[in-house]
Amino acid sequence: METKLLKLEDFILEGRLSEADKKKLDEAAKVIKTGGLAAFPTETVYGLGGNALMKEAAGKIYKAKGRPSDNPLIVHISHVSDLEKIVSEIPEMSKPVMEAFWPGPMTLIFKKNASVPAETTGGLGTVAVRFPSHPAANYLIEKAGVPIAAPSANLSGRPSTTSALHCIEDLLGKVDMIIDGGSCDVGLESTIIDFTGKIPVILRPGAVTKAMIEELLNIEVMEDAALKGPLDGEERPKAPGMKYRHYAPKAPMLLVSAGVKGHENMVPDKILELIRENRKAYDRPALLCSKECADIIGADELSGIDVRITGNLSDMAGIAKGLFKHLREFDEDGADIIIAEGYGEEEIGEAVMNRLKKAAAWRIIYV
Ligand code: TXA
Ligand code: MG
């Protein structure tokens, strides 16, 4: 299949959609409405969009990504009022949450109604819904005139895509269109919160944090067991997608993290020890760490190591934004072992650490 590439040139330069950009999105909207697939930017990561109400489109999405068909898709809307068209019940408690954080990087799980095909929800009776804030995503959904099912626009198992270049790497020839809107602001996928039970449950951490929800609702919310460690054979995460190997570069990754508060300054020492131990046994050892950590270890010790700097520790949002790009780069570099620095789990740090723990397949060394 030939993939058409369209670049939102003015949006990338000025941050707002020009008439020329809108024309390109009109084309993408037509593709989606008529059952085709288009990758498009959102504020979190790129999405691989198809008509959420057409089961054939859902089938195409699974095929293009190589994604197991029991892993449900997120349905994207462009008005809160669109929600009524796809869910059977809107719990009271979800209303202030939507009001506070939509449009934005948050997905809520509701009971679905009959208009959403089982193919879109991986056979579940519930549906994940997101109202993104990205202007191009909003315009596209509105013009398509249907809710858009969009998982992250990566091949299944690879890190999510945060630029059109990543989408091209994974999806060229497999989808009808890729819309280039520059790099994504957040860089990590949306927070997922399940509202189908009595107490809201966070299934995936993101830029909207547990603390933000708790403060707003004035109750304690729960976190799915899958966020705390690898599940044993019997347990299943509530978000089916969280059970798959994810975000993972090809090389094995070791995550070095402070086990207790106050031990943060021991992390660079442990990383240095691991570098010394491993540098001979591997052809292309790699390190993923902050500027501060690299400075402490020093250029001499790092010579011959494939170092990717995540950013400054004072800017966790910046670290989040570039994370998936770096994980992808290790594959290109041919890294054969990756040592990664762990961070504090406050605010967006929790989502960063969730992705790093999964990328490391829970191989975590606590100091
Ligand atoms: O930021 C995002 O959420 C991006 C952009 C494109 O919006 N989308 C995204 O979709 O990350 P995806 O498919 O890569 O991740 C969706 C996650 C999966 O782990 C899936 O299992 C879970 O959401 N999910 C979807 N529907 C669900 C449902 N009804 N119940 C529980 N989990 C669900
Ligand atoms: Mg994904």
Side-chain angles (χ1 to χ4, degrees), residues 213-276:
I213 303 291
E214 289 182 332
E215 191 180 315
L216 180 79
L217 295 179
N218 207 13
I219 57 163
E220 211 172 301
V221 303
M222 300 198 300
E223 275 182 317
D224 193 43
L227 305 186
K228 303 199 177 98
L231 299 179
D232 64 35
E234 301 287 285
E235 290 174 298
R236 283 185 163 265
K238 280 193 80 184
M242 299 295 271
K243 76 172 176 262
Y244 296 106
R245 186 169 183 265
H246 235 123
Y247 316 115
K250 290 181 188 125
M253 188 165 128
L254 293 173
L255 180 61
V256 182
S257 186
V260 286
K261 259 206 157 18
H263 281 193
E264 290 79 10
N265 57 356
M266 292 161 70
V267 170
D269 294 343
K270 184 68 193 177
I271 290 178
L272 176 56
E273 191 186 315
L274 288 169
I275 288 173
R276 286 180 176 160

Side-chain angles (χ1 to χ4, degrees), residues 67-262:
R67 174 170 172 140
S69 61
D70 68 343
N71 189 3
L73 309 174
I74 294 180
V75 176
H76 295 67
I77 56 175
S78 57
H79 297 279
V80 177
S81 57
D82 294 342
L83 195 58
E84 291 160 24
K85 299 176 198 156
I86 51 178
V87 309
S88 63
E89 205 183 306
I90 304 176
E92 273 313 308
M93 216 190 284
S94 67
K95 291 179 182 169
V97 175
M98 289 188 270
E99 194 153 304
F101 302 113
W102 270 1
M106 179 186 76
T107 297
L108 302 186
I109 312 278
F110 298 100
K111 294 195 172 110
K112 78 174 195 76
N113 73 20
S115 69
V116 185
E119 283 77 3
T120 299
T121 63
L124 296 178
T126 54
V127 60
V129 188
R130 183 156 106 79
F131 176 0
S133 62
H134 194 291
N138 270 325
Y139 183 89
L140 178 65
I141 301 162
E142 186 158 324
K143 280 287 163 165
V146 289
I148 297 184
S152 48
N154 52 282
L155 288 178
S156 190
R158 291 207 76 197
S160 294
T161 48
T162 52
S163 73
L165 194 66
H166 300 159
C167 298
I168 291 169
E169 279 169 17
D170 280 20
L171 298 172
L172 196 72
K174 296 184 170 146
V175 301
D176 299 287
M177 197 175 271
I178 294 173
I179 300 283
D180 183 353
S183 58
C184 301
D185 277 348
V186 178
L188 301 178
E189 310 86 345
S190 60
T191 308
I192 303 181
I193 313 171
D194 185 351
F195 270 99
T196 59
K198 274 207 182 97
I199 301 173
V201 186
I202 311 247
L203 306 187
R204 181 174 73 183
V208 173
T209 63
K210 182 169 180 274
M212 286 156 82
I213 303 291
E214 289 182 332
E215 191 180 315
L216 180 79
L217 295 179
N218 207 13
I219 57 163
E220 211 172 301
V221 303
M222 300 198 300
E223 275 182 317
D224 193 43
L227 305 186
K228 303 199 177 98
L231 299 179
D232 64 35
E234 301 287 285
E235 290 174 298
R236 283 185 163 265
K238 280 193 80 184
M242 299 295 271
K243 76 172 176 262
Y244 296 106
R245 186 169 183 265
H246 235 123
Y247 316 115
K250 290 181 188 125
M253 188 165 128
L254 293 173
L255 180 61
V256 182
S257 186
V260 286
K261 259 206 157 18

Side-chain angles (χ1 to χ4, degrees), residues 8-37:
L8 305 176
E9 315 233 7
D10 300 315
F11 176 80
I12 292 170
L13 283 174
E14 298 161 20
R16 54 174 200 90
L17 295 173
S18 65
E19 287 311 310
D21 293 335
K22 286 181 182 169
K23 276 218 177 80
K24 293 172 185 166
L25 290 168
D26 290 341
E27 241 187 272
K30 207 162 159 194
V31 163
I32 288 176
K33 194 175 186 160
T34 54
L37 302 186

Side-chain angles (χ1 to χ4, degrees), residues 48-59:
L48 173 56
N51 184 338
L53 307 182
M54 259 175 87
K55 62 175 194 229
E56 296 79 9

